[in-house]
Amino acid sequence: MPRPTAAQLAYGSCTVILSTLAMLLLSQTSSGLGIVMITLSALVLGLLVAMTVPLPKPVRTRAMPVVPVLKERAPGRRETASVAAAATSEHVREPANP
């Protein structure tokens, strides 16, 4: 299990403290059982907040593989008759005197 970051600790601690104070003030409880239940629920809420804070994304060290594209199968590229004839024609030298 990775160690918590500073942001996770800060968000979780603030959530526990503020939610405990808010619930104690709103409920106006004075019994020991009520205070324990509020404290436990604030701790659970703080853990939930701390665990849902987004973790920093790992840095990629490997490069993405490059997929070669063949010219013959490239979509959207068509050869015309003049381009095909020009590409296949070769210069032929024949002797002038047989």
Side-chain angles (χ1 to χ4, degrees), residues 6-94:
Q8 287 176 315
L9 292 174
Y11 285 137
S13 299
C14 289
T15 302
V16 169
I17 293 168
L18 294 176
S19 63
T20 302
L21 287 175
M23 286 189 278
L24 284 174
L25 290 174
L26 290 173
S27 69
Q28 297 179 355
T29 185
S30 59
S31 67
L33 182 61
I35 293 172
V36 168
M37 293 302 293
I38 288 173
T39 306
L40 288 177
S41 63
L43 283 173
V44 169
L45 185 63
L47 280 174
L48 181 69
V49 167
M51 297 310 288
T52 57
V53 172
L55 293 173
K57 295 182 180 179
V59 179
R60 277 192 192 179
T61 56
R62 294 188 325 167
M64 297 298 292
V66 178
V67 179
V69 177
L70 300 175
K71 289 183 180 179
E72 299 85 42
R73 296 185 183 195
R77 182 172 179 227
R78 295 183 182 175
E79 291 185 12
T80 60
S82 61
V83 173
T88 58
S89 66
E90 296 177 3
H91 297 287
V92 178
R93 291 191 174 183
E94 294 181 6

